[in-house]
Amino acid sequence: MEARRWFVLLARMPAEPARHRMALWRELRRLGAVALGQGSWALPDLPAIRAALPALRDRADAGEGNLVVLTAHGHEDPDVAHLEQLYRQAREQEWREFLADCGKYLAELDKEHRQAKYTLAELDEEEHSLDRLRRWYRELRARDLLATPAAGDADQHLKACIEAFDHYADTVYATLGHPHT
């Protein structure tokens, strides 16, 4: 089996204005790029990444910088394994952060139940928090192009958050005498 190919991106951006450099950095991060060093990034050579390369180049051009994109195979097996490991570690770390926030969300709902804090304002706040978790989950899924194992755990944790919110909402509506719609 042929080893995965990678894109190595070398970005040179002027220090000022910083917004262009930051915009390129945010886009690379959104795509799941792994930093290899100052101004160098790696991304797996996949169709979704290939489609994003022109926009990355446009961002660099807009900031009067440049972006060089190279295709890499890895000189030896350990080189390829190292890139895979860096990518997977970055995704695993993001998923761990997500799982921790799911745990905080569930703890918050438990606290609201213990305190019998059944108000529409609190329900609205918890719904916004759940929406944030859902958006974050979609963003992580979109950049986890190699499907790291922690993504499966995240599915279950998000479902638990949704179920806990639904239970809390039912309790709020029942307490306030409103039918849940």
Side-chain angles (χ1 to χ4, degrees):
M1 178 172 121
E2 186 176 329
R4 177 178 320 283
R5 289 174 19 150
W6 290 81
F7 291 118
V8 175
L9 296 87
L10 307 171
R12 294 187 67 123
M13 300 293 291
E16 295 298 327
R19 71 178 184 276
H20 295 294
R21 189 175 64 255
M22 295 304 294
L24 179 62
W25 178 84
R26 278 192 301 277
E27 187 64 17
L28 286 164
R29 187 178 183 311
R30 186 189 66 76
L31 290 169
V34 176
L36 299 176
Q38 187 174 353
S40 62
W41 303 81
L43 283 162
D45 182 353
L46 296 169
I49 301 301
R50 270 185 241 120
L53 291 176
L56 289 172
R57 194 174 308 278
D58 289 346
R59 285 201 186 279
D61 291 345
E64 298 181 9
N66 64 53
L67 180 69
V68 174
V69 180
L70 306 170
T71 302
H73 294 277
H75 181 64
E76 295 179 1
D77 288 343
D79 301 323
V80 174
H82 182 69
L83 279 176
E84 294 265 349
Q85 179 185 16
L86 286 174
Y87 186 87
R88 289 188 189 285
Q89 285 174 339
R91 300 298 75 80
E92 291 286 339
Q93 176 60 34
E94 290 173 334
W95 285 120
R96 277 193 300 274
E97 291 172 13
F98 176 80
L99 295 174
D101 270 24
C102 285
K104 291 175 188 173
Y105 181 76
L106 292 171
E108 175 69 16
L109 287 178
D110 285 344
K111 182 185 90 171
E112 302 307 347
H113 278 297
R114 282 192 314 277
Q115 295 177 352
K117 193 172 181 185
Y118 301 126
T119 66
L120 291 176
E122 190 60 37
L123 179 63
D124 188 51
E125 184 179 317
E126 298 304 339
E127 185 173 29
H128 285 293
S129 294
L130 181 59
D131 288 344
R132 183 187 62 79
L133 284 172
R134 285 177 169 146
R135 279 190 308 276
W136 189 10
Y137 174 83
R138 285 191 303 269
E139 290 168 6
L140 291 176
R141 271 286 190 200
R143 75 173 151 257
D144 188 1
L145 300 173
L146 302 183
T148 56
D153 293 339
D155 289 344
Q156 295 307 311
H157 279 72
L158 183 60
K159 286 177 186 173
C161 290
I162 293 167
E163 290 170 6
F165 173 79
D166 288 345
H167 175 67
Y168 179 72
D170 289 343
T171 305
V172 169
Y173 288 125
T175 301
L176 298 176
H178 293 88
H180 186 170
T181 55

